């Protein structure tokens, strides 16, 4: 069986066109990531001594690491005079080589400090208070619902309490790269297109050459081949997602020029303030890749099932592509809304998993609260397994061969 | 010639091109009808009033028109003030009824079209920025027709389905070699090209005509000879073309885009000879630039995509000011005519080269041994995935429900209080004094000031409240629609304190998906400005300064009700009670849409309970009266002149006019 899987993998995915597409998509992805940096980051203004990039990293030495009262006072000592001097908007707006400024202009100095140091540090510093407030409210709610006899609400609030109590951000670090990394969706489309291309010919290529009939005459044909194809596709999907997840991370690290902040908790990114998990950013990168793999795998299995019934790639490609676009558009447009079920049943949520991990949301199952990301993973796996079962049931069998075997067995027993 | 007929038969019938064309056209029409919403909702809502003004100021904004509009604005403001004074004077007995009627008739004439004036005045403000090339006209039709700027996916899929099998089917069964050995070998490919070009032409032209017909019927497409800059989408455009010319140009560009894509697909299919590669290349050539590149870059690439989009060839520069560093950032740079012509020329050249290559590859020469052709067997159409975007509606019938906008909330023993420091809302148990957070989610408002509670409505045992939440993701200039505001109606069961969202809607008209900005119309903008609301099992009614908007809970359709909201609004589950512009108490039945004015009740203030109406009568010295809901059984219940009257289950509360004292009257007296 292992050999069969290996052959199927080589046959389906180790081809020149696949390699070309993979390289092309990887290059496009790296360009896009670089474009993200230049479009969105204010630190993409070069290495001039008065550029924001240079000033930021000069100051970084002073404020990175554990947040202390001394660092906060030092930062406010630098920021407050600038804020006061620019409050009435009468300071000079001339940009040049004002020797008393860091970036050449007093407004620019205030803005870089405010955006990159004061606001994040204020958020980091206050996070403990905010989260303890949430934990306190959750505890009160849990006690209240316990009195009311509402077990589900009590359990839900207990989970929230456990999740939020003890949350704090003790160290300051650069987190802009991770903010954009976690909001980056472009590679998901590339992954889906690549998987679609790989998967679409899994069954179709043999049908186009009528090889499918010939395969049935082989002892390893029929269900065994189908199983091998499913395993090969699974391996292919895992490889593609791991490749692009790694490429995304490396691309962002190279474009932004740093991986600083990997040790910050996930909720240090302000869009993840109500994150559903307590983990560090580097752990989340891995978690995200795993979740993404499950989402792509489920979608791929559905693609595979659709392609089973056709003799050429035209209809399955258009149907799969159309279905994927529908899932993407509905997933993206529903991602901001509070209907948790729509996020759970759409496997695309697992690809842009910030919609699941970024918010603490629950669904009730037999009186137990299940977090939305867990429910989405379970749902996707179940759907994937059902689709695999359907493929195995629907795959062609060599009835003639089986009948002959039965006859042989009958003869032997006689 | 028979060869051409056979090719038509093969492509149109065996390869189902005809069926795909019909499906594409049908689907386009249905999608258009389902997804369209007017760009300017108020213009559609007050169409007749707007048209009344448009007749007077149609076209170029002359000094005369400007003067007229400015004078009209002053006249309307003046009339509004006069109306209010007149009403006061009449009810205070300073003027007679005939005088009042005469004057109010004159004022009524001025205010008759005031809603339409608001719309045309907004348009006037836009025109004033550059009066030379911005004209007064109805924009909804033209905005729908040419102001979209998004890719027509149905057409894209249609072209994929139509074009891909033309050569790939021959290659998949090795028929290509057989064809090349025949006399008509080379002709076969040119026939194919002609048929596909005709098919794509048919699809593109039909879609353009369907769109024209749809918008023409739905909104009307008047004044096609006005400059394209009259639409805000093309505000900064430097091209001197009219709206109709714009439509024709965009349609022609889209047609060329379709042909370009078809040629590109055929070229790839001839080179790669495989379905999967052809389809992937076609999809990648359109989708990847569409979501991966900025609009400015897209419109400078010799690819089918910019022509399939078309619209932005005629749009002007879009410049945004970066508040943080003070720089101006070009979000979209206008494509000048020369660039467009160069791009078009390069694309035409590429198309010619592709056609030449296709014909060359199918030239008649000896090739490898042929095989017997086998018919492809794809016979059925796939079922599409239908994802219903379920609205969170609750169809339970509310019982014995009375809403008074002026009354305090009777929350089954709870009192709603607000913290002066945090502005958070709490439920205070009136008997025990225990306080609970109103919003049951512990995370709500904890990390953001942009999460707030807006309004309340009690319908025992439920307390409904609305929340407004603004979320932003990527906050650099150039990605405007990266923040969204959503308004939700939350149902809190006061017995169990369980909550659930019964209605939720994103209010922004501009959205962004993978960096593709698109407009959804300003249909839901009113939600951001509501300050109160009430609901029944079918609808939610949001009260804002400019009126009440009824939202159907399941269909999510909206209706603007012509109900002034400057006084008390009451609702008994079936009818809305309000003071009309003459302060006459009026009832609007939400199911039938009928309005009934209680001619004998001129109210200063009023409230209702399940059986009765309590009101401060303007015509009876501001004394408090009660009557049945049909207006009969008028009865004096308070002999002190009053300003306000409210009620709850226990009593009637009157604010005395003279000393501001709050008097409690017993309902069962």
């Amino acid at each position: 069986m292992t050999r069969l899987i290996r052959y199927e993998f080589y046959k389906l995915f180790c081809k020149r066109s696949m390699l070309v597409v993979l390289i092309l998509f990887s290059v496009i992805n790296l360009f896009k990531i670089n474009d993200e940096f230049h479009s969105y980051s204010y630190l993409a203004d070069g290495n001039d001594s008065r550029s924001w990039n240079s000033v930021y990293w000069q100051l970084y030495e002073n404020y990175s690491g554990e947040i202390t009262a001394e660092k906060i006072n030092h930062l406010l000592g630098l920021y407050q005079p600038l804020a006061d001097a620019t409050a009435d908007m009468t300071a000079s707006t001339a940009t040049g080589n004002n020797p008393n400024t860091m970036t050449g202009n007093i407004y620019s100095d205030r803005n870089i400090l405010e955006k990159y140091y004061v606001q994040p540090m204020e958020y980091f510093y206050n996070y403990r208070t905010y989260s303890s407030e949430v934990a306190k409210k959750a505890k009160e709610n849990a006690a209240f619902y316990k009195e009311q006899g509402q077990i589900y609400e009590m359990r839900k609030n207990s989970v929230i309490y456990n999740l939020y109590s003890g949350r704090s951000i003790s160290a300051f670090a650069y987190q802009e790269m991770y903010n954009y990394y976690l909001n980056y969706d472009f590679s998901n489309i590339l992954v889906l297109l690549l998987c679609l291309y790989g998967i679409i010919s899994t069954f179709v290529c043999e049908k186009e050459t009528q090889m499918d009939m010939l395969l049935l005459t082989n002892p390893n044909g029929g269900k065994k081949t189908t199983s091998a194809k499913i395993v090969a596709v699974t391996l292919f999907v895992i490889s593609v997602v791991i490749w692009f997840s790694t490429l995304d991370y490396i691309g962002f690290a190279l474009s932004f020029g740093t991986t600083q902040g990997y040790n910050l908790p996930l909720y240090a990114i302000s869009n993840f303030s109500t994150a559903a998990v307590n983990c560090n950013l580097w752990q989340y990168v891995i978690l995200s890749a795993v979740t993404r793999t499950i989402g792509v795998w489920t979608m791929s299995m559905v693609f595979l099932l659709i392609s089973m019934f056709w003799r050429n790639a035209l209809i399955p490609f258009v149907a799969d592509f159309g279905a994927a676009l529908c899932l993407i558009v509905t997933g993206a447009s529903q991602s901001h809304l509070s209907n948790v079920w729509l996020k759970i049943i759409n496997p695309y949520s697992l690809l842009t998993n910030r919609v699941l991990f970024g918010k603490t949301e629950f669904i009730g199952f037999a009186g137990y609260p299940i977090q939305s990301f867990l429910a989405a993973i379970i749902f996707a796996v179940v759907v994937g397994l059902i689709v695999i079962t359907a493929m195995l049931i629907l795959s062609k069998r060599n009835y003639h061969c089986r009948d002959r075997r039965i006859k042989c067995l009958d003869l032997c027993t006689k | 010639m028979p060869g051409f007929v056979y090719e038509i038969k093969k492509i149109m019938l065996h390869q189902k091109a005809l069926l795909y064309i019909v499906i594409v056209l049908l689907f386009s029409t249905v999608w258009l009808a389902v997804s369209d919403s007017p760009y300017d909702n108020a213009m559609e809502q007050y169409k007749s009033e707007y048209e009344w003004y448009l007749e007077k100021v149609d076209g170029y904004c002359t000094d005369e028109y400007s003067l007229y509009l400015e004078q009209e604005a002053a006249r309307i403001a003046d009339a509004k003030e006069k109306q209010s004074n007149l009403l006061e004077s009449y009810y205070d007995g300073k003027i007679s009824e005939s005088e009042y009627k005469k004057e109010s008739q004159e004022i009524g004439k001025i205010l008759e079209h005031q809603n339409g004036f608001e719309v045309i005045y907004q348009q006037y403000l836009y025109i004033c920025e550059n009066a030379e090339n911005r004209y007064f006209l109805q924009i909804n039709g033209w905005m729908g027709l040419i102001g979209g700027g998004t890719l027509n996916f149905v057409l894209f899929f249609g072209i994929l389905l139509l074009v891909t099998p033309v050569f790939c089917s021959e290659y998949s069964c090795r028929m290509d070699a057989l064809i090349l050995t025949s006399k008509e070998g080379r002709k076969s490919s040119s026939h194919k090209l002609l048929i596909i070009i005709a098919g794509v032409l048919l699809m593109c032209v039909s879609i353009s005509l369907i769109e024209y017909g749809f918008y023409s019927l739905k909104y009307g497409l008047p004044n096609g000879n006005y400059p394209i800059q009259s639409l805000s989408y093309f505000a900064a455009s430097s091209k001197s073309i009219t709206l109709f010319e714009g439509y024709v140009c965009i349609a022609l560009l889209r047609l060329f885009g379709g042909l370009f894509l078809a040629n590109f697909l055929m070229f790839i299919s001839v080179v790669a000879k495989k379905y999967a590669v052809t389809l992937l290349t076609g999809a990648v050539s359109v989708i990847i630039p569409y979501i991966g590149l900025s609009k400015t870059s897209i419109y400078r690439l010799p690819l089918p995509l910019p022509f399939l989009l078309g619209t932005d060839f005629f749009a002007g520069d879009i410049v945004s000011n970066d508040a943080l560093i003070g720089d101006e950032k070009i979000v979209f740079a206008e494509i000048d005519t020369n660039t467009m012509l160069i791009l078009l020329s390069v694309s035409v050249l590429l198309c010619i080269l592709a056609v030449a290559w296709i014909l060359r590859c199918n030239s008649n020469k000896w090739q490898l041994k042929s095989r017997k052709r086998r018919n492809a067997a794809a016979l059925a159409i796939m079922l599409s995935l239908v994802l219903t975007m379920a609205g969170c509606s609750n169809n339970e019938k509310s019982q014995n429900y009375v809403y008074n906008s002026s009354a305090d909330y009777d929350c089954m023993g709870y009192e709603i209080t607000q913290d002066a420091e945090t502005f958070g809302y709490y439920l205070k148990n009136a008997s025990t004094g225990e306080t609970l957070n109103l919003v049951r989610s512990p995370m709500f408002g904890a990390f953001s000031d942009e999460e707030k509670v807006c309004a309340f409505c009690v319908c025992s045992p439920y307390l409904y409240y609305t929340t407004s939440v603004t979320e932003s993701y990527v906050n650099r200039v150039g990605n405007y629609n990266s923040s969204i505001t959503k308004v939700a109606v939350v149902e809190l069961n006061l017995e169990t304190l369980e909550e659930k969202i019964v209605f939720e809607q994103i209010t922004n008209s501009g959205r962004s998906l993978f960096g593709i900005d698109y407009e959804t119309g300003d249909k839901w903008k009113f939600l951001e400005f509501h300050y109160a609301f009430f609901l029944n099992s079918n609808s939610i009614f949001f009260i804002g300064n400019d009126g009440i908007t009824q939202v159907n809970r399941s269909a999510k359709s909206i209706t603007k009700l012509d109900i002034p909201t400057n006084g008390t609004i009451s609702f008994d589950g079936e009818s809305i009670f309000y003071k009309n512009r003459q302060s006459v108490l009026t009832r609007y039945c939400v199911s039938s849409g009928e309005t009934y004015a209680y001619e004998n009740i001129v109210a200063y203030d009023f409230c209702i309970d399940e059986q009765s109406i309590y009101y401060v009568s303007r015509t009876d010295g501001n004394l408090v009266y009660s009557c049945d809901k049909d207006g009969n059984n008028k009865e004096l219940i308070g002999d002190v002149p009053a300003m306000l009257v409210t009620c709850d289950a226990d009593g009637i509360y009157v604010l005395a006019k003279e000393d501001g004292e709050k008097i409690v009257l017993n309902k069962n007296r």
Side-chain angles (χ1 to χ4, degrees):
Chain A
M1 187 67 181
T2 317
R3 210 167 54 165
L4 193 59
I5 293 166
R6 204 169 62 231
Y7 286 154
E8 283 293 342
F9 190 87
Y10 283 137
K11 185 176 76 182
L12 294 170
F13 309 116
C14 298
K15 23 186 205 189
R16 202 171 48 189
S17 64
M18 184 65 71
L19 192 67
V20 170
V21 176
L22 182 71
I23 293 170
L24 183 73
F25 279 12
S26 302
V27 172
I28 291 173
N29 193 31
L30 288 175
F31 272 106
K32 180 68 183 166
I33 291 169
N34 196 43
D35 184 54
E36 294 275 300
F37 170 61
H38 288 284
S39 302
Y40 297 137
S41 175
Y42 288 93
L43 303 186
D45 59 347
N47 292 317
D48 181 68
S49 62
R50 283 176 177 269
S51 66
W52 277 36
N53 185 29
S54 305
V55 171
Y56 178 81
W57 290 109
Q58 277 166 23
L59 293 170
Y60 190 72
E61 294 292 314
N62 302 333
Y63 304 116
S64 59
E66 197 186 346
I67 300 172
T68 60
E70 195 188 352
K71 281 180 185 170
I72 292 170
N73 290 336
H74 188 268
L75 177 63
L76 289 177
L78 195 62
Y79 170 73
Q80 206 55 54
L82 293 172
D84 294 341
T86 53
D88 57 0
M89 307 294 280
T90 55
S92 168
T93 54
T95 51
N97 291 325
N98 185 346
N100 298 324
T101 60
M102 297 180 289
T103 59
N105 176 279
I106 190 166
Y107 290 100
S108 182
D109 280 7
R110 182 202 62 184
N111 289 339
I112 187 176
L113 283 175
E114 189 173 302
K115 180 172 170 60
Y116 282 97
Y117 284 103
V118 177
Q119 282 176 357
M121 201 173 283
E122 194 180 356
Y123 172 73
F124 284 16
Y125 182 75
N126 289 329
Y127 191 87
R128 184 205 291 262
T129 316
Y130 297 150
S131 62
S132 60
E133 193 65 30
V134 172
K136 193 181 135 202
K137 279 182 191 172
K139 198 176 179 183
E140 284 170 11
N141 282 354
F144 174 80
Y145 287 121
K146 195 178 179 183
E147 267 178 37
Q148 298 274 315
Q150 291 186 57
I151 304 301
Y152 168 73
E153 287 291 338
M154 186 202 79
R155 284 175 180 151
K156 189 175 98 177
N157 280 285
S158 302
V159 174
I160 296 173
Y161 172 75
N162 288 330
L163 207 57
Y164 282 80
S165 57
R167 272 190 182 186
S168 69
I169 310 167
S170 55
F172 179 82
Y174 176 70
Q175 32 79 45
E176 188 188 36
M177 185 276 263
Y178 287 94
N179 182 27
Y180 294 120
Y181 171 77
L182 299 178
N183 281 290
Y184 183 69
D185 294 334
F186 183 73
S187 63
N188 289 331
I189 306 295
L190 298 176
V191 167
L192 281 179
L193 278 171
L194 190 63
C195 288
L196 187 56
Y197 174 60
I199 289 161
I200 213 75
S201 35
T202 306
F203 289 110
V204 167
C205 69
E206 278 154 10
K207 284 185 180 169
E208 277 179 353
T209 53
Q210 307 263 316
M211 187 69 187
D212 56 330
M213 301 304 287
L214 200 64
L215 274 177
L216 291 179
T217 60
N218 189 292
N220 283 333
K223 278 203 194 311
K224 268 193 180 175
T225 310
T226 308
S227 309
K229 281 182 192 296
I230 291 168
V231 177
V233 166
T234 304
L235 291 173
F236 171 69
V237 166
I238 291 170
S239 322
V240 169
V241 179
I242 288 174
W243 169 252
F244 275 95
S245 298
T246 314
L247 198 69
D248 283 355
Y249 189 76
I250 292 171
F252 271 93
L254 288 175
S255 295
F256 284 76
T258 182
T259 54
Q260 289 276 337
Y262 63 87
N263 233 356
L264 285 175
L266 177 61
Y267 44 80
I269 309 297
S270 57
N271 291 329
F272 286 77
S273 55
T274 54
V277 285
N278 288 335
C279 65
N280 291 339
L281 283 167
W282 70 265
Q283 289 166 333
Y284 181 70
V285 170
I286 296 166
L287 183 62
S288 168
V290 172
T291 319
R292 207 172 161 193
T293 310
I294 296 168
V296 178
W297 175 76
T298 307
M299 288 175 88
S300 300
M301 288 302 127
V302 177
F303 294 164
L304 201 59
L305 178 71
I306 292 172
S307 73
M308 261 187 95
F309 306 106
W310 304 91
R311 299 201 73 84
N312 66 44
L314 178 67
I315 303 285
F317 187 92
V318 174
D320 290 344
F321 190 41
L325 275 183
C326 282
L327 290 176
I328 290 167
V329 171
T330 49
S333 57
Q334 296 290 313
S335 64
H336 300 297
L337 300 179
S338 313
N339 194 333
V340 184
W341 275 106
L342 283 181
K343 294 178 196 171
I344 290 169
I345 60 168
N346 189 340
Y348 185 71
S349 306
L350 292 169
L351 276 74
T352 53
N353 44 54
R354 61 173 178 278
V355 303
L356 298 169
F357 288 107
K359 288 202 172 81
T360 312
E361 291 171 323
F362 298 87
I363 56 149
F365 183 75
Y368 284 90
I370 299 175
Q371 284 198 273
S372 58
F373 72 89
L374 208 58
I377 290 171
I378 294 168
F379 184 82
V381 171
V382 169
V383 168
L385 293 175
I386 290 171
V387 171
I388 288 173
T389 315
M391 278 190 284
L392 290 173
I393 293 168
L394 294 169
S395 64
K396 280 183 183 170
R397 295 174 194 189
N398 190 349
Y399 292 103
H400 178 68
C401 219
R402 197 181 59 173
D403 292 344
R404 208 169 54 186
R405 265 205 306 272
I406 291 166
K407 275 179 193 169
C408 288
L409 280 171
D410 287 347
L411 284 173
C412 292
T413 47
K414 280 174 189 173
Chain B
M1 207 54 196
F4 187 66
V5 177
Y6 288 141
E7 283 296 344
I8 289 183
K9 198 177 160 190
K10 185 166 71 182
I11 293 172
M12 290 296 167
L13 300 178
H14 289 283
Q15 291 172 5
K16 313 231 171 359
L18 199 62
L19 181 70
Y20 296 145
I21 292 172
V22 173
I23 289 173
V24 164
L25 296 183
L26 275 176
F27 200 79
S28 291
T29 315
V30 173
W31 180 250
L32 199 60
V34 171
S35 65
D36 178 68
S37 64
Y39 176 77
D40 189 333
N41 214 39
M43 192 178 279
E44 201 54 25
Q45 185 91 38
Y46 307 113
K47 197 170 184 176
S48 58
E49 296 177 40
Y50 170 73
E51 279 172 350
W52 191 83
Y53 278 103
L54 196 62
E55 276 174 25
K56 293 181 168 44
V57 296
D58 193 17
Y60 178 71
C61 181
T62 59
D63 292 344
E64 200 185 323
Y65 289 168
S66 299
L67 190 68
Y68 169 73
L69 287 171
E70 294 296 353
Q71 283 175 347
E72 190 67 7
R75 223 156 67 92
I76 285 174
D78 200 32
K80 276 184 182 170
E81 197 185 331
K82 258 189 189 169
Q83 188 187 38
S84 151
N85 291 340
L86 190 72
L87 211 61
E88 293 293 322
S89 307
Y90 170 59
Y91 291 132
D92 291 346
K94 289 176 188 167
I95 54 169
S96 68
E97 190 176 347
S98 60
E99 275 177 302
Y100 168 74
K101 277 188 177 168
K102 193 183 156 198
E103 289 213 26
S104 62
Q105 224 168 13
E106 282 169 23
I107 293 169
K109 275 182 191 167
I110 300 170
L111 296 177
E112 200 177 356
H113 307 288
Q114 61 163 324
N115 290 321
F117 182 78
E118 298 285 333
V119 181
I120 205 142
Y121 199 77
Q122 287 301 319
Q123 199 170 22
Y124 168 65
L125 293 178
Y126 166 72
I127 288 168
C128 280
E129 290 169 19
N130 188 359
E132 286 307 305
N133 57 13
R134 297 180 185 183
Y135 287 17
F136 288 102
L137 87 155
Q138 280 212 35
I139 59 163
N140 279 335
W142 288 108
M143 272 305 287
L145 187 65
I146 58 176
T150 47
L151 181 69
N152 187 334
F153 277 97
V154 183
L155 176 66
F156 169 61
F157 281 123
I159 294 172
L160 275 186
L161 284 168
L162 190 72
V163 180
T164 314
V166 173
F167 287 102
C168 286
S169 65
E170 313 281 13
Y171 291 121
S172 68
C173 58
R174 308 274 176 181
M175 188 65 191
D176 57 314
L178 200 66
I179 288 172
L180 291 178
T181 59
S182 72
K183 273 185 189 173
E184 305 249 332
R186 186 178 174 127
K187 276 186 190 167
S188 165
S189 55
S190 52
H191 290 161
K192 284 188 175 88
L193 274 168
L194 279 175
I195 294 162
I196 287 304
I197 287 170
V200 173
L201 270 172
L202 179 70
M203 269 202 302
C204 293
V205 171
S206 305
I207 287 175
S208 295
L209 289 176
I210 286 169
E211 284 178 351
Y212 192 87
F214 174 80
Y215 287 109
S216 182
L217 284 173
K218 190 170 180 188
Y219 304 111
L221 293 168
N223 311 116
N225 56 337
Y226 288 177
I228 202 165
Q229 289 82 356
S230 304
L231 305 181
S232 57
Y233 193 91
F234 304 95
S237 174
S238 64
K239 295 184 181 66
S240 305
I241 56 164
T242 63
L243 290 164
F244 187 74
E245 285 167 358
Y247 161 70
V248 172
C249 291
I250 291 167
L252 287 175
L253 285 170
R254 191 160 67 178
L255 178 65
F256 174 70
L259 292 175
F260 192 3
L261 180 63
N263 272 320
F264 180 68
L265 284 170
M266 285 191 282
F267 171 74
I268 297 295
S269 64
V270 164
V271 172
K273 297 184 169 62
K274 292 228 166 63
Y275 274 107
V277 178
T278 309
L279 289 164
L280 180 81
T281 316
V284 165
S285 70
V286 173
I287 300 297
I288 297 300
Y290 192 40
I291 60 172
L293 295 176
S294 67
K295 250 187 195 176
T296 309
S297 313
I298 290 172
Y299 279 90
R300 279 160 181 80
L301 288 175
L303 287 174
L305 178 65
F307 300 103
L308 286 170
L309 295 169
T311 310
D312 290 291
F313 277 117
F314 304 97
D317 286 336
I318 301 172
V319 180
S320 248
N321 196 33
D322 193 324
L324 206 60
I325 53 175
D327 284 353
E328 276 196 340
K329 183 164 173 158
I330 296 172
V331 179
F332 176 73
E334 184 175 357
I335 299 112
D336 59 64
T337 315
N338 286 337
T339 314
M340 191 168 94
L341 288 175
I342 291 169
L343 190 68
L344 200 59
S345 312
V346 173
S347 304
V348 169
L349 187 70
L350 289 174
C351 280
I352 293 168
L353 288 173
V355 170
W357 186 263
I358 294 163
L359 294 175
R360 188 179 171 275
C361 284
N362 289 283
S363 61
N364 202 348
K365 56 185 179 183
W366 292 110
Q367 292 222 330
L368 297 169
K369 60 187 172 186
S370 62
R371 280 189 195 178
K372 213 177 179 181
R373 184 185 166 201
R374 297 185 193 102
N375 283 328
L379 291 168
I381 303 299
M382 281 303 299
L383 280 172
S384 300
L385 262 176
V386 181
L387 287 172
T388 49
M389 294 183 205
C392 321
S393 57
N394 179 6
N395 288 326
E396 284 169 33
K397 179 81 182 159
S398 51
Q399 291 172 342
N400 302 328
Y401 163 54
V402 174
Y403 168 81
N404 284 303
S405 65
S406 59
D408 289 333
Y409 305 101
D410 179 18
C411 308
M412 297 176 67
Y414 287 109
E415 186 189 331
I416 299 171
T417 59
Q418 188 177 20
D419 190 293
E421 277 180 25
T422 61
F423 302 109
Y425 286 96
Y426 295 91
L427 285 174
K428 188 175 176 185
N429 193 320
S431 53
T432 62
E434 183 193 13
T435 56
L436 295 164
N437 289 302
L438 170 72
V439 182
R440 302 309 299 153
S441 165
M443 284 83 73
F444 186 85
F447 300 100
S448 169
D449 296 335
E450 304 285 351
E451 296 178 341
K452 56 185 184 238
V453 174
C454 302
F456 306 96
C457 167
V458 180
C459 172
S460 293
Y462 300 109
L463 164 66
Y464 293 90
Y465 61 88
T466 53
T467 59
S468 167
V469 174
T470 301
E471 292 171 357
S472 60
Y473 291 92
V474 183
N475 54 2
R476 179 81 195 253
V477 166
N479 201 344
Y480 334 80
N481 302 324
S482 58
S483 71
I484 57 114
T485 300
K486 56 185 177 182
V487 170
V489 178
V490 184
E491 179 189 86
L492 177 68
N493 187 330
L494 289 167
E495 285 169 352
T496 60
L497 288 193
E498 275 180 298
E499 63 177 12
K500 72 172 178 186
I501 292 169
V502 293
F503 171 83
E504 191 172 31
Q505 183 59 48
I506 295 173
T507 61
N508 308 55
S509 58
R511 310 272 178 87
S512 183
L513 184 64
F514 291 103
I516 304 162
D517 296 315
Y518 62 99
E519 287 285 332
T520 55
D522 59 352
K523 187 180 168 186
W524 299 103
K525 201 75 187 162
F526 70 91
L527 285 173
E528 288 179 24
F529 307 106
H530 82 277
Y531 60 81
F533 76 103
F534 50 89
L535 73 174
N536 65 8
S537 54
N538 300 320
S539 303
I540 304 172
F541 301 84
F542 292 94
I543 307 174
N545 285 327
D546 59 342
I548 296 178
T549 310
Q550 179 180 358
V551 178
N552 186 301
R553 290 169 72 165
S554 48
K556 282 201 169 182
S557 58
I558 65 167
T559 316
K560 195 86 185 259
L561 306 178
D562 186 24
I563 293 176
T565 53
N566 49 357
T568 301
I569 303 288
S570 295
F571 182 62
D572 65 357
E574 283 179 0
S575 299
I576 301 171
F577 296 78
Y578 62 98
K579 288 192 303 175
N580 69 10
R581 290 185 177 85
Q582 286 74 42
S583 287
V584 175
L585 185 67
T586 311
R587 187 178 72 199
Y588 171 80
C589 179
V590 293
S591 53
S592 65
E594 287 170 3
T595 305
Y596 170 75
Y598 296 84
E599 293 298 345
N600 57 340
I601 302 178
V602 180
Y604 196 87
D605 189 33
F606 75 95
C607 67
I608 63 167
D609 66 12
E610 279 151 31
Q611 288 86 34
S612 310
I613 304 169
Y614 307 98
Y615 62 98
V616 179
S617 175
R618 291 293 308 265
T619 48
D620 296 301
N622 293 332
L623 301 179
V624 183
Y625 285 83
S626 74
C627 69
D628 294 344
K629 283 195 180 161
D630 53 9
N632 298 328
N633 298 330
K634 181 178 169 184
E635 193 184 335
L636 179 71
I637 56 167
D639 47 8
V640 180
M643 280 166 71
L644 301 171
V645 58
T646 59
C647 64
D648 62 17
D650 306 321
I652 304 155
Y653 308 95
V654 175
L655 191 69
K657 192 175 182 181
E658 295 299 320
D659 51 9
E661 190 192 348
K662 198 171 182 180
I663 304 162
V664 182
L665 303 172
N666 192 342
K667 273 187 176 179
N668 304 319
R669 52 197 228 110

